Amino acid sequence: MKLGLLLLAVLPIAAYAQDSIAVSSSNEYPNTFSSGSANVKPFDNKSRRFNDWSISVGGGTAFMLHSDLTSLHKKINWGYNAYVSIDKQITHTFALSVMYMRGETKQTAQLPGTAGQLAGVGTATTKFNQVSLVGDVNFSNLLRRVDNHSPFRWAFHGYAGIGFQGYNTSLHDNNEFRWSETPKRVPLFIHQDFDINSLFYQFGMGVKYNVSRLIDVEARTMYLISGDDEFDGGGWAGPADYDPASTVSKYNMIKKSRSDNAWTVSLGVSFKLGKHLSHLAWHDPLQEAYYRTSVLENATTDFVVCEKGDADNDGVCDDWDRQLDTPAGARVDGAGVALDMDLDGVIDLYDKCVTVPGPVENNGCPVK
């Protein structure tokens, strides 16, 4: 019964006390008089401390690699590629890019047997345009130790993506695909528009270097899987092109694969957009926490007691001693003031009647 009455009496007071505490929001860390949640910033674009958008441009060489006509047949036939992309960093380990690439490859091959002797070395050119969505995994951020406080400038990346491509090819040789009026012959030209049949895949890797807050440079290599046997210019991928009994030149039968694949090597520059000092790709999410912890661990703070000393040797530092000339041997309170138990104006050191008030002239004892 008594416990119940006590709770009834205390609960309204506790409820009022809790409601009456003002939650203060400031730049300071949470303390006894503030709410911890009041100092937590929402995770939105205004509170973020890093940039996450960039624009990349670059270019280099391109080769038709695993195909019927190849860029590495007897000699190296150099092509080119150029790209531009808009990049969005999703986390510090993953990004997405919308990329446009334009390129050209040159490749050669020779048919086997008599057909090859008549045609000589066939030469093809492929001009392509590609639009793709590319995923970017930052392996350095994925594997790097987050307790390394030194700034890092190199990062290893892996890429994989899917997209659509349009291309134009031409094939020339000395027999069936040549300019001739007698008999009437022309080179083979193939045009492929952007559609579902032009789907391609790509994957690769690259190394980035953080030049400054605004610029990254990168060396990148990509392998392109066209899924198309016409991509190298070797001819239409129709039934007759794979029929040994037909009279059509069999460039598409030089290799068994029905997918002509290319390889690109390029150098590029990324322009990081935004006003913040770092980009999310180079911003370690735990770096600030580890840095603050390290500062606290390595900070050396000398705890100084009685910086001003204790002039009267009463055991109370002069920093907070309210009576700096306490007589030697006198007992003092926490403020360094000599004790006077009976409050008669004579400190206990000189009071002969400590518990009974008396005049100073009588050493603190009452006059009889």
Side-chain angles (χ1 to χ4, degrees):
M1 182 66 179
K2 292 182 180 180
L3 179 60
L5 293 175
L6 178 61
L7 290 175
L8 289 175
V10 171
L11 283 176
I13 299 174
Y16 173 78
Q18 183 168 342
D19 291 340
S20 64
I21 296 175
V23 176
S24 61
S25 190
S26 65
N27 294 327
E28 302 298 328
Y29 286 102
N31 52 51
T32 307
F33 306 103
S34 67
S35 169
S37 61
N39 293 300
V40 176
K41 295 182 178 180
F43 186 75
D44 54 21
N45 286 337
K46 292 183 179 179
S47 65
R48 65 181 182 178
R49 302 181 64 182
F50 49 79
N51 303 317
D52 53 8
W53 286 95
S54 62
I55 295 177
S56 300
V57 295
T61 187
F63 307 96
M64 195 66 68
L65 193 62
H66 295 113
S67 53
D68 300 296
L69 292 92
T70 71
S71 300
L72 306 180
H73 178 255
K74 294 186 178 180
K75 67 174 184 177
I76 299 177
N77 296 284
W78 297 89
Y80 78 88
N81 80 87
Y83 70 86
V84 59
S85 68
I86 300 176
D87 316 312
K88 168 65 174 177
Q89 195 74 32
I90 308 299
T91 70
H92 76 299
T93 60
F94 180 72
L96 282 175
S97 300
V98 177
M99 176 184 291
Y100 167 75
M101 178 181 286
R102 180 180 180 86
E104 178 180 316
T105 61
K106 298 180 182 298
Q107 49 274 357
T108 60
Q110 188 169 8
L111 294 169
T114 304
Q117 295 176 0
L118 294 174
V121 176
T123 302
T125 300
T126 300
K127 297 180 179 180
F128 60 88
N129 294 279
Q130 300 173 337
V131 176
S132 59
L133 182 66
V134 180
D136 174 0
V137 177
N138 188 328
F139 288 109
S140 293
N141 276 351
L142 194 63
L143 303 174
R144 186 176 57 86
R145 290 174 57 93
V146 294
D147 55 353
N148 180 10
H149 307 306
S150 60
F152 63 102
R153 290 187 173 274
W154 292 95
F156 175 66
H157 290 250
Y159 303 99
I162 187 172
F164 296 92
Q165 65 177 354
Y167 60 81
N168 292 284
T169 70
S170 63
L171 174 62
H172 299 74
D173 64 14
N174 296 328
N175 187 23
E176 183 179 355
F177 302 118
R178 60 188 171 92
W179 294 106
S180 175
E181 293 295 332
T182 307
K184 185 67 176 180
R185 292 177 178 175
V186 295
L188 176 62
F189 297 97
I190 297 177
H191 173 74
Q192 172 64 57
D193 290 322
F194 283 90
D195 59 31
I196 193 63
N197 294 322
S198 66
L199 187 70
F200 79 99
Y201 309 90
Q202 62 179 334
F203 62 89
M205 58 185 179
V207 178
K208 281 189 176 182
Y209 179 74
N210 183 16
V211 177
S212 68
R213 181 178 69 88
L214 299 176
I215 295 176
D216 290 344
V217 295
E218 178 187 25
R220 178 188 299 190
T221 180
M222 300 293 290
Y223 187 75
L224 313 179
I225 303 174
S226 73
D228 190 342
D229 209 9
E230 300 171 357
F231 187 48
D232 65 348
W236 300 102
D241 295 274
Y242 301 105
D243 183 3
S246 69
T247 58
V248 180
S249 295
K250 303 299 185 297
Y251 282 99
N252 278 343
M253 292 184 65
I254 295 177
K255 299 286 181 65
K256 293 182 179 180
S257 173
R258 297 291 180 92
S259 176
D260 297 329
N261 304 330
W263 174 42
T264 64
V265 179
S266 56
L267 293 176
V269 180
S270 295
F271 300 95
K272 295 171 281 189
L273 308 177
K275 63 181 181 180
H276 299 286
L277 294 178
S278 66
H279 190 272
L280 181 54
W282 303 99
H283 187 90
D284 180 3
L286 297 180
Q287 192 68 36
E288 292 184 29
Y290 277 98
Y291 174 74
R292 291 175 183 272
T293 303
S294 176
V295 170
L296 292 175
E297 289 177 348
N298 298 323
T300 56
T301 303
D302 295 330
F303 184 71
V304 180
V305 179
C306 290
E307 185 176 357
K308 296 181 180 180
D310 182 10
D312 53 8
N313 294 316
D314 60 357
V316 178
C317 298
D318 292 350
D319 304 64
W320 53 83
D321 197 333
R322 293 173 57 190
Q323 191 178 59
L324 298 175
D325 57 350
T326 304
R331 293 185 301 164
V332 297
D333 60 14
V337 178
L339 294 177
D340 180 9
M341 295 292 293
D342 52 13
L343 302 176
D344 58 2
V346 180
I347 64 174
D348 294 350
L349 178 64
Y350 302 131
D351 197 334
K352 297 195 182 285
C353 301
V354 177
T355 60
V356 181
V360 177
E361 295 80 6
N362 200 34
N363 296 323
C365 291
V367 179
K368 294 182 180 181

